[in-house]
Amino acid sequence: MAKATGSDSSLLALKRRARKINRRLGELYPYAVAELDFTNAFELLVATVLSAQTTDIRVNAVTPALFARYPDPKALAEADETELQELIRPTGFFRAKAASIKALSTRLVDEYDGEVPDTLEELVTLPGVGRKTANVVLGNAFGIPGITVDTHFGRLSRRFGWTTAKDPVKVEEDVAELFEPKDWTPLSNRVVFHGRRVCHAKNPACGACAVAALCPSYGEGETDPEKAKKLLKYELAPGREELHARMMAAETRAQLRAAGYGLEA
C-alpha cells in the first residue's frame, strides 16, 4: 500500500481512524448520493461520461432534453451527430463526448441487446468509459460496491492519510484495504460531497470541518471558525440553512428544484 509506513498495528490504527471519518461523514451527509440525475443505468452511464471536465449541475441541465430525445441506446446510436452535439454543447468537449456516447450506445445495442453490462470488466471496454465511470454506474445503478476516484476523492484520500498515491487505480486499491466492500459506494459519495462543500482544493474550510479532529492535514486551510464558515458551499453555505434542513429530511433534488431551490454552489 502506498500509505503503509510500519507495523500491522499502525495499519489497524489507520483503519479505525478512516472508519471513524466515514461514520462522521455519514452523519453529516445522510443524503449523499451520486449528484447526477438518472432513472436507469443507461442514463447514469451517459451522464457520467458527459460529466468529464464539467460540473454535475451543468450535466443535469442538459440531460432532461437529451433523454427525452434519445431515451434508450438504440435511439442514441441512431442520433444525428450534429443535433447530438448541440444538445450537449454546454458540457464542453461536446464533439468528443457526442462521439463517445453515440459509440457506446452502438456497442450496447450490438453486443448487449441494448442493456448496460453490470461488470467492471465489460463496462471499461465501452467508448469513453474508464474505471471511475464504471464504478459510479456499478455502485449507484446496480448496487455493486465500487470506489469512485475522482479529483475530490483523490485529494481527500491523501489529506486523510489513506494513501500517498496520485494514480487513481492505486488510490482505489489503497482505500479499498481500509473499508468493507459494503461501504465503498456510500463512502465514495460522502467523500465527494465533503470535497465539494468543505475540503476544497484551495483553502479548505478546516475551521468548519466536522472531521477536523480526525484529519492529519488540519491546518492546510482556514482554521478560524467564522472565516471557515464563509468558505462552505452548496447547502452548507451561510444563508442556506432551510435547504440543508430539507435535504436532511430526505427531500430529493427533484423535489427541491420543484420547490424553487437552486442547488448550485
Side-chain angles (χ1 to χ4, degrees), residues 41-60:
F42 172 67
E43 290 185 358
L44 180 58
L45 177 63
V46 171
T48 308
V49 172
L50 294 179
S51 71
Q53 306 297 317
T54 190
T55 65
D56 289 356
I57 290 172
R58 188 164 293 171
V59 174
N60 289 339

Side-chain angles (χ1 to χ4, degrees), residues 159-171:
R159 284 179 175 169
F160 289 155
W162 297 349
T163 185
T164 58
K166 292 188 177 180
D167 176 70
V169 175
K170 185 57 178 169
V171 172

Side-chain angles (χ1 to χ4, degrees), residues 57-233:
I57 290 172
R58 188 164 293 171
V59 174
N60 289 339
V62 306
T63 49
L66 176 67
F67 296 134
R69 181 71 179 86
Y70 308 113
D72 53 46
K74 184 176 186 297
L76 191 50
E78 297 172 352
D80 175 81
E81 195 143 347
T82 300
E83 180 182 356
L84 180 58
Q85 289 175 5
E86 286 306 307
L87 280 171
I88 67 170
R89 180 185 286 268
T91 69
F93 303 97
F94 59 93
R95 293 185 182 86
K97 289 179 181 179
S100 289
I101 62 176
K102 187 175 167 68
L104 75 82
S105 297
T106 299
R107 283 278 303 282
L108 292 179
V109 171
D110 291 346
E111 299 182 27
Y112 297 101
D113 296 321
E115 299 294 328
V116 177
D118 61 0
T119 70
L120 180 69
E121 292 74 19
E122 291 172 303
L123 282 168
V124 296
T125 68
L126 298 174
V129 179
R131 288 185 69 92
K132 185 198 83 170
T133 295
N135 278 325
V136 169
V137 174
L138 291 173
N140 295 282
F142 292 113
I144 298 172
I147 294 174
T148 303
V149 182
D150 68 355
T151 55
H152 300 290
F153 192 95
R155 179 176 73 253
L156 270 64
S157 293
R158 289 184 288 274
R159 284 179 175 169
F160 289 155
W162 297 349
T163 185
T164 58
K166 292 188 177 180
D167 176 70
V169 175
K170 185 57 178 169
V171 172
E172 182 182 337
E173 292 173 352
D174 287 349
V175 176
E177 291 190 36
L178 302 177
F179 298 92
E180 297 294 330
K182 65 181 178 61
D183 294 323
W184 291 351
T185 299
L187 170 75
S188 297
N189 290 331
R190 292 164 187 166
V191 170
V192 170
F193 260 59
H194 197 60
R196 288 174 173 166
R197 287 152 176 79
V198 180
C199 196
H200 315 305
K202 296 181 179 178
N203 202 20
C206 293
C209 178
V211 297
L214 297 166
C215 181
S217 299
Y218 175 78
E220 285 191 12
E222 179 59 64
T223 58
D224 179 86
E226 293 306 313
K227 292 180 180 178
K229 285 179 183 178
K230 296 178 182 179
L231 300 173
L232 300 178
K233 294 183 178 180

